[in-house]
Amino acid sequence: GPRASHALGEIKTRGLPNRRVEAWHYTDLRNLLKEFPGPVVSTQAEAKAALAAIPSQFACIELPIIDGVYYPGFATTLPQKVLLASQSPSVNASKLAADDAIGLLNSGLAKDGLTIVVNDDAQIEDMVSLTHIATGEGSSATRHNVKIGAGASAIFIERHLCATENSTLTNTVCDLELGDGAIATWVIDQRMSTGSTRFGQLNVKLGKNADLTILSLNSGCRLVRQEINVEVAGEGADLKIRGVNLVADNSHIDVTTKLDHLVPDTISNEIFRNVVVGRGHGVFQGQINVAQVAQRTDARMACNSLLLSDFSEFSAKPELEIFADDVQCAHGATVTDIDEEQLFYLMARGIPEKQSRELLITAFVEEVFDGLEVEHIGEGLNARIEEWLADNG
């Protein structure tokens, strides 16, 4: 349609962002993305086989999106208080910012997606999984719109998986809105194959006294750019973001977050832990903007990275822009190797070096998902961390 061709036209005119574009300084997309594959098309039988081959890991209501297409026939029935409509994604491509390559690509390519509404005051116990599976070489894109009503509570998980080792490119944009007093957890669990590329964007708007926890685990892919943009728009809103990036050899993982505190008396707490092996390169850009009216904002951000080889790299860029005067804001970023003293301590207790190193690395990252209110999610994510460390340690 005209919207898609306008978006793709914009990309052709501007080109993909390179290092000179501030928001993409550490992820030179023009250089990293040499070719753009055509759309992947799979049959219903291939989609069914791909879904069957995926490990479950979490007990949830499954909404399968395979190669960018939603398959209602393979979905679990949703509770009555959750309304679902498959949709042609709508976003005004002409309004997208010049550096929003993910949004433009998504507008140009997305053919399907879900609109989900959780009714006011509904308490949805079961986790709802937007299960994205790529079956083969090629590209796919999806756009979802989720609204959690006032006083409601729900848990959503975006899972990103590959059914094959083929190189695939996926692009997912999720627009999430929490009504007044809503409580939600949103999980992003990306474990795609080593040849894959993933572009993801989560755009959030928080109502008054809304409480949102975002959990993000990247443990796959050759190239990832995950953006999290949050408008803290309601007084009393509380936002927690906890993320772990496990960056394999020759992999590039970029998580870029932008939090806008727009009203008084809100809280945000952001923590990322990163482990980089081989020639991996990780990036964290965290921007916090506190508007002039947003007095008594309490915003904290920490990014700690562990580099496990002489060739691994991590680039951290925390940014604070504060226009209010009565605020508590803090940010910190550290990049280290394993603490030799701690290692010596464990080895002096008779634990072999390899095992001692694994214990220290595991403790460093698993702390992020410990102590969550929804315990089984933390356990599931930590089990995945252990699998990755066993494969890449």
Side-chain angles (χ1 to χ4, degrees), residues 337-349 351 353 356-357 360:
D337 188 4
I338 283 179
D339 186 317
E340 290 301 326
E341 270 185 37
Q342 292 178 337
L343 189 61
F344 176 78
Y345 177 84
L346 291 174
M347 287 168 66
R349 300 276 173 296
I351 302 169
E353 183 177 2
S356 297
R357 290 177 76 86
L360 291 173

Side-chain angles (χ1 to χ4, degrees), residues 316-332:
K317 183 187 172 200
E319 292 175 84
L320 294 177
E321 199 165 80
I322 301 166
F323 295 104
D325 47 21
D326 178 11
V327 298
Q328 290 187 55
C329 292
H331 69 73

